Amino acid sequence: MSRGYAFGEDEVGRRRLAPVLSLAVVGSLILGACGDDDTDSADTDDTTGSADTAAPDGTTADDGGDTGGDTGGDKPTIVLVQNAWTASAINVAIAKQLIEENLGNPVEVTSIDENTMFAGLSNGDADAVLEFWPSGLSEDEQKYFDDGTVVEIGELGAIGRIGWYVPDYVLEEYPELATWEGFKDPEVAKAFATAETGDNGRFLGTDPSYSQADEAIITNLELPYQVVYSGSEAATIAELDSKVAAGEPIVMYWWAPTAAAGKYNLQKVELPPYTDECYADPAAIDCDYPEDVLVKLASSGLEAKDPAVFAFLQNFQISTEDQLAMLPPAEIDGVPAADVAAEWIAANEATWQAWL
């Protein structure tokens, strides 16, 4: 998902994964957690991916940055899942460099779509994912927790929030759009319309595999808008960049933390408050997305495979503030995730030494 943000880290009522798992139906419509800025979705039918799969930062998927540690010998290879957003790439690069340098295990990074990674974790082809957005949990994914083949190994430390966002200049022209009620006006909707949507306004979705309940929200709140999916985060950012440059209105699905929120001065639209009851029936959703306390997941076999790595990943934490600091160089300046990770490691030795 993750998901950055000068516009807010969103800390409403923190939910652990366990309550989400007990309400798996919440995620049956929401197909996957969200992504981040101008990275492309890693769509694949292979649940384990490939060590040289292209990574969101433009490097190969296993390019987490070599630090010269001892990765030979009889230490088992650790396979970390990299999802299709920048924060995931940075998390994985940090973990890869620290594991290889300090624990001596070789680390492979596999780019897997977040909706198919559970099979890889379940069968042991992948060992861990470091940023899971619980609001994206589906009933099909719940079964891996139920049978014990995938386990939660603690909170990541960052807080995510999916929602509706508009650039600040949209609210200057249409201040009523600060809340969802303003979107009821058909005349205002026409300002967002395209040839594809006719008189309805266009609501810009992103990669269709991400957690998006916007079609249900729009239908149930009876708003004159139509969801159009960009196809990827990169396409969403390209569209946003074009609209901002032209000063044209745009309303879109997005999340925090992301660097785009600060770069484009995105403002979150106030939707009806989230409740568990609202998400009990996916087709009836008519409220805001829930806050996500991001968590880490592992294969149930990882602890036996390498107890030291398992303990390290349990201790591994990246805060919202850390992500906010690291995302702009990677997403806006184009710095490779491995280099961003190495810089963070050099500046935060006291933090990561405690993980060991």
Side-chain angles (χ1 to χ4, degrees):
M1 47 219 178
S2 61
R3 313 154 127 149
Y5 321 97
F7 60 63
E9 294 95 61
D10 326 272
E11 305 76 10
V12 195
R14 299 192 171 192
R15 300 178 307 134
R16 301 237 353 135
L17 182 57
V20 178
L21 298 183
S22 67
L23 293 170
V25 68
V26 169
S28 61
L29 172 69
I30 305 177
L31 297 179
C34 44
D36 211 48
D37 283 17
D38 32 48
T39 60
D40 292 325
S41 174
D43 293 327
T44 174
D45 292 329
D46 181 359
T47 60
T48 60
S50 168
D52 58 0
T53 306
D57 63 0
T59 65
T60 56
D62 69 343
D63 184 11
D66 293 329
T67 58
D70 176 13
T71 59
D74 57 359
K75 297 270 188 168
T77 296
I78 302 302
V79 181
L80 298 179
V81 171
Q82 178 174 290
N83 296 125
W85 56 89
T86 310
S88 176
I90 294 172
N91 297 337
V92 168
I94 291 172
K96 172 182 169 67
Q97 292 177 30
L98 290 175
I99 291 171
E100 291 186 338
E101 176 66 22
N102 296 278
L103 300 178
N105 300 74
V107 175
E108 292 182 2
V109 179
T110 181
S111 294
I112 308 177
D113 182 273
E114 61 190 332
N115 300 312
T116 58
M117 69 185 182
F118 280 88
L121 290 170
S122 177
N123 64 27
D125 287 339
D127 291 309
V129 59
L130 301 180
E131 183 175 310
F132 179 65
W133 292 59
S135 67
L137 185 73
S138 71
E139 290 188 64
D140 286 341
E141 294 162 351
Q142 170 69 41
K143 67 183 181 183
Y144 296 106
F145 295 98
D146 292 341
D147 67 18
T149 57
V150 176
V151 295
E152 181 194 336
I153 57 172
E155 295 179 3
L156 173 63
I159 306 297
R161 188 64 187 265
I162 305 168
W164 291 14
Y165 291 92
V166 297
D168 57 355
Y169 63 80
V170 172
L171 297 186
E172 292 175 5
E173 184 171 359
Y174 303 100
E176 64 271 28
L177 297 185
T179 69
W180 69 273
E181 288 94 342
F183 287 88
K184 291 180 176 180
D185 189 338
E187 293 304 313
V188 173
K190 290 177 182 178
F192 294 82
T194 65
E196 182 177 4
T197 64
D199 288 338
N200 288 330
R202 183 186 67 163
F203 180 95
L204 186 63
T206 187
D207 184 325
S209 74
Y210 291 169
S211 304
Q212 295 166 86
D214 307 302
E215 291 183 2
I217 293 171
I218 287 170
T219 296
N220 295 318
L221 293 180
E222 300 182 348
L223 305 179
Y225 286 78
Q226 176 182 333
V227 176
V228 176
Y229 296 96
S230 69
S232 70
E233 291 183 35
T236 302
I237 291 298
E239 175 72 9
L240 177 61
D241 191 70
S242 174
K243 290 292 187 181
V244 171
E248 297 175 352
I250 180 173
V251 56
M252 57 190 283
Y253 164 102
W254 205 243
W255 59 92
T258 59
K263 179 180 179 180
Y264 298 102
N265 296 317
L266 298 183
Q267 306 295 313
K268 191 173 184 301
V269 175
E270 182 181 335
L271 293 171
Y274 168 84
T275 65
D276 289 343
E277 292 74 20
C278 173
Y279 271 66
D281 178 0
I285 294 173
D286 60 357
C287 65
D288 206 350
Y289 289 85
E291 178 192 62
D292 272 298
V293 177
L294 308 185
V295 297
K296 301 162 293 182
L297 308 179
S299 168
S300 60
L302 177 58
E303 186 171 15
K305 176 179 180 178
D306 195 302
V309 171
F310 181 81
F312 167 83
L313 293 177
Q314 281 186 308
N315 294 331
F316 180 93
Q317 286 205 318
I318 299 296
S319 69
T320 303
E321 291 72 25
D322 288 329
Q323 289 195 345
L324 289 174
M326 290 187 286
L327 285 169
E331 295 177 344
I332 297 175
D333 302 330
V335 178
D339 293 346
V340 174
E343 183 175 348
W344 185 92
I345 289 170
N348 293 274
E349 183 173 357
T351 297
W352 57 260
Q353 282 286 0
W355 304 343
L356 298 166

